[in-house]
Amino acid sequence: MNAAVKSIGAIAAAAAAAFLLASCGSTVSKDNNTAHTAPAITATPAQETASPLPSPTATETIAAAEVKTLYKMNNVYRFVPIEETTDKKVVLLSFDDGPHNKEVLTSLLDTLDKHHAKAVFFVNGYRVKEHPELLTLIHERGQTIGNHSWDHIDLKKEDEAKIDQQIGDVQKDVEAITGEPPRFFRPPYGSGGDKVKEIAKNHGLLFMTWSNGSLDWEQKSPGDPDKVIANVLEQLHPGANILMHELKWTAEALDGLLTKLEDKGYGFIDPATIELPAQS
């Protein structure tokens, strides 16, 4: 009789352990904020009545909430660690003046994925209006969308109402399409000033120009990818804020550039880890 009781107890314990394993079948990686599913465990009849696992959407939401703020921008638009233990040898990748060319954009996105890198795509409102599907593509591929004004005009020459419209209309349209407003702003030509900075801040945006220019915009088609790489490497420094554009020769240069940066020991800042302005 005692042996039978022990046998029943062992079976019950095994069933309980299997139930717990099944309930913990989904984990979140802090390295890339993506959900990883553990090997499936065959359910017993008793397990089939258990509560369902959280949906992928819920898991992703939890992961996003756990993203830690690691970097802040200094007054020369470079990024520095908030804590001493955080890696200093990193760069922020950014691309301006899109979205407008699906082939080029897809190439950029594919290369970023290959290197497990994140970037900010600073978009113009008139191009978002022409190609909302490309804005959606950026968002769905897990990259960050930034505000680059509606018409790509020199905002420093405009009055406050015009500046507010140029910034605010992009905020509204991007949020309408993706569900999220931009959190970063780069003025066209890097031309801003206190007036533009204040209005950008009022929209909850972190104003930035750059600290490392690829000069890809100075080239004309067909362009030279090697020059893009050389220009970035020549100005390379920890916390570099690298300016590039949605251009064919930049897309052709990107894989080689990121490989060289990695070879030099550099990592890529996830924009989600950058400190944003305090909301009033």
Side-chain angles (χ1 to χ4, degrees):
M1 184 68 178
N2 289 341
V5 170
K6 288 181 180 179
S7 176
I8 293 170
I11 293 170
F19 178 82
L20 289 172
L21 285 171
S23 299
C24 298
S26 179
T27 59
V28 176
S29 166
K30 292 183 180 178
D31 291 335
N32 57 15
N33 299 318
T34 55
H36 297 281
T37 304
I41 298 171
T42 303
T44 64
Q47 287 173 261
E48 290 173 355
T49 61
S51 300
L53 293 172
S55 67
T57 301
T59 303
E60 290 167 5
T61 301
I62 293 170
E66 293 177 349
V67 173
K68 184 178 180 180
T69 302
L70 300 175
Y71 297 94
K72 61 183 178 181
M73 190 180 68
N74 65 20
N75 60 1
V76 289
Y77 308 112
R78 300 182 182 192
F79 293 93
V80 295
I82 293 173
E83 298 178 0
E84 285 296 323
T85 55
T86 303
D87 190 7
K88 298 179 178 65
K89 208 170 181 182
V90 292
V91 300
L92 177 69
L93 305 171
S94 65
F95 303 90
D96 285 11
D97 296 356
H100 63 92
N101 185 309
K102 184 176 182 180
E103 181 181 358
V104 171
L105 177 59
T106 301
S107 176
L108 292 172
L109 293 169
D110 288 346
T111 302
L112 291 170
D113 283 351
K114 176 182 176 180
H115 291 266
H116 307 288
K118 298 296 184 182
V120 182
F121 286 80
F122 286 97
V123 301
N124 293 121
Y126 77 94
R127 283 182 160 159
V128 169
K129 186 176 181 180
E130 292 171 355
H131 299 286
E133 76 285 357
L134 297 185
L135 188 81
T136 299
L137 178 62
I138 297 170
H139 180 68
E140 290 180 343
R141 293 288 293 268
Q143 299 296 337
T144 296
I145 295 167
N147 187 327
H148 197 42
S149 84
W150 187 271
D151 288 309
H152 202 282
I153 58 177
D154 187 347
L155 296 178
K156 198 170 185 177
K157 299 177 180 178
E158 304 296 334
D159 61 29
E160 292 184 3
K162 183 72 170 181
I163 296 167
D164 189 65
Q165 180 185 34
Q166 285 284 313
I167 295 174
D169 286 354
V170 176
Q171 292 295 99
K172 292 174 186 175
D173 277 17
V174 171
E175 183 172 15
I177 294 168
T178 69
E180 300 175 11
R183 289 290 177 254
F184 303 96
F185 176 73
R186 175 177 284 154
Y189 316 109
S191 179
D194 292 341
K195 186 167 54 176
V196 177
K197 289 179 181 179
E198 185 62 26
I199 292 172
K201 185 177 180 181
N202 290 342
H203 282 280
L205 292 157
L206 179 64
F207 177 104
M208 70 173 72
T209 58
W210 59 90
S211 69
N212 183 320
S214 67
L215 302 182
D216 58 355
W217 63 91
E218 293 185 351
Q219 297 191 48
K220 294 183 179 179
S221 185
D224 184 349
D226 289 339
K227 286 184 178 179
V228 176
I229 295 173
N231 287 332
V232 172
L233 295 182
E234 184 179 349
Q235 305 166 66
L236 186 59
H237 54 269
N241 187 341
I242 302 175
L243 167 62
M244 295 175 281
H245 291 77
E246 188 185 302
L247 295 167
K248 186 175 185 294
W249 47 93
T250 303
E252 291 171 354
L254 191 61
D255 186 33
L257 173 61
L258 300 192
T259 298
K260 288 181 183 296
L261 289 172
E262 289 169 326
D263 288 345
K264 290 178 178 293
Y266 278 84
F268 311 111
I269 296 175
D270 183 342
T273 66
I274 296 174
E275 182 178 72
L276 297 172
Q279 299 296 300
S280 57

